[in-house]
């Protein structure tokens, strides 16, 4: 089948690094380390043991961290934040649900980010998660560095953005509350280092936001085999887009204009525009306090969604499901 690819899929980008580890065949999450410059954490989607990998700028694995006492059912996302003592921590989201509601709950695992990169086995803290409107299929989990709050973006026809309760509990159920409408194709998301922007990506598109319901602008996404991850660079100037597949490339896209976070725009030479003009150009209405479920919100928030031809989408998911069945067989 010959189809026309959307313009967003032909973005100018360069290769940040190529993942060399043959164990990483389904890289499904990506985040910059909080303690180790030029190091990114990633993990496989499913079919792997519960472990994450520290990847250097040369694409080589610097450390493998195994989580004890847990399974990797459908790991879809990873982010960094702080633990209860305010120390750097890594959060892994076992939040996928390919059966759209089969799992009565999903899980998030937290462990201290190691100060030294070396293979290790750690016992994570487990958080049980449900949603206020029933089970969701999700692939994006992001941490606001200003509040240390987690957000999950679901991947369904009635997708939405969900916020954690005020405090995460390791003993009870954590009910994430829907705060805004979303897109049906979100595969990952990330906050900028200063928290002033966040991005949600799909297979062929990505959009930057200044707050839930306040769209700033689209970002061109490089054409990839199966675009599953996005991370913000430590300096806030670029986004890094990852893909599944062995030997996959992580590609860098430089941010421009108001898509850049405040820390970049307000820096000397950053070229920041007035806040009023930025808000006028980027706002699409709605707020974190609103339910975000109006028809207008659904068409305005969380980007243009999947703009590829329907035939391409159907072929893509058929290929993905077939590949997973073969891997599990």
């Amino acid at each position: 089948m010959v189809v026309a690819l959307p313009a967003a899929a032909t973005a100018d980008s360069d290769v940040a690094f190529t993942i060399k580890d043959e164990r990483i065949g389904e890289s499904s999450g990506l985040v910059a380390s909080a303690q180790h410059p030029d190091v990114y954490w990633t993990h496989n989607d499913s079919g792997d043991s519960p472990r994450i990998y520290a990847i250097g700028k040369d694409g080589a694995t610097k450390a493998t961290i195994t989580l004890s006492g847990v399974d990797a059912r459908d790991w879809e996302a990873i982010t960094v934040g702080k633990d209860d003592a305010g120390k750097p921590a890594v959060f892994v989201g076992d939040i996928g649900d390919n059966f759209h509601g089969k799992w009565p709950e999903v899980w998030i695992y937290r462990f201290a980010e190691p100060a030294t990169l070396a293979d290790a086995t750690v016992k994570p803290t487990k958080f049980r998660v449900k949603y206020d409107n029933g089970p969701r299929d999700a692939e994006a989990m992001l941490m606001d560095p200003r509040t240390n709050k987690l957000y999950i973006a679901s991947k369904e026809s009635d997708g939405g953005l969900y916020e954690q309760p005020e405090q995460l509990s390791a003993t009870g159920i954590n009910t994430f509350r829907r705060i805004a409408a979303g897109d049906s194709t979100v595969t990952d998301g990330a906050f900028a280092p200063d928290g002033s922007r966040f991005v949600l990506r799909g297979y062929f598109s990505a959009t930057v936001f200044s707050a839930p319901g306040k769209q700033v602008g689209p970002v061109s996404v490089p054409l990839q085999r199966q675009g599953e991850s996005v991370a913000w660079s430590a300096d806030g100037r670029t986004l890094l887009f990852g893909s599944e597949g062995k030997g996959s490339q992580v590609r860098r896209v430089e941010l421009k204009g108001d898509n850049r976070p405040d820390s970049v725009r307000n820096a000397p030479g950053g070229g920041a525009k007035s806040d009023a003009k930025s808000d006028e150009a980027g706002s699409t209405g709605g707020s974190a306090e609103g339910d975000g479920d109006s028809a207008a919100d659904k068409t305005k928030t969380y980007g243009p969604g999947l703009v590829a031809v329907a035939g391409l989408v159907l072929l893509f998911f058929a290929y993905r499901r077939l590949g997973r069945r073969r891997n599990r067989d």
Side-chain angles (χ1 to χ4, degrees), residues 123-145:
K123 178 70 174 179
T125 300
K126 177 180 179 179
F127 300 103
R128 302 168 62 194
V129 172
K130 290 186 177 182
Y131 304 95
D132 63 354
N133 59 346
R136 304 280 100 186
D137 180 27
E139 296 188 8
M141 181 180 71
L142 46 163
M143 171 73 76
D144 188 335

Side-chain angles (χ1 to χ4, degrees), residues 122-259:
V122 301
K123 178 70 174 179
T125 300
K126 177 180 179 179
F127 300 103
R128 302 168 62 194
V129 172
K130 290 186 177 182
Y131 304 95
D132 63 354
N133 59 346
R136 304 280 100 186
D137 180 27
E139 296 188 8
M141 181 180 71
L142 46 163
M143 171 73 76
D144 188 335
R146 301 165 299 182
T147 62
N148 207 49
K149 276 193 172 184
L150 286 169
Y151 296 82
I152 295 175
S154 66
K155 181 188 177 187
E156 298 169 314
S157 58
D158 60 343
L161 186 68
Y162 295 80
E163 181 183 56
Q164 72 160 70
E166 192 60 31
Q167 295 291 333
L168 288 178
S169 170
T171 57
I173 293 290
N174 297 277
T175 300
F176 277 56
R177 179 177 64 92
R178 182 184 174 106
I179 61 171
D183 188 43
S184 62
T185 62
V186 176
T187 61
D188 202 10
F191 267 93
D194 69 357
S196 67
R197 299 285 189 273
F198 69 89
V199 63
L200 295 177
R201 76 158 296 176
Y203 295 113
F204 304 110
S205 63
T207 306
V208 172
F209 301 85
S210 61
K214 298 189 77 172
Q215 179 176 314
V216 178
V219 178
S220 294
V221 175
L223 181 62
Q224 296 174 304
R225 172 180 171 180
Q226 185 171 327
E228 288 279 347
S229 61
V230 64
W232 225 288
S233 64
D235 64 8
R237 295 181 178 276
T238 59
L239 290 174
L240 291 96
F241 292 91
S243 172
E244 289 193 359
K246 288 187 177 182
S248 62
Q249 294 178 334
V250 174
R251 304 189 70 89
R252 183 189 300 109
V253 174
E254 182 180 359
L255 291 165
K256 300 178 181 179
D258 287 347
N259 281 344

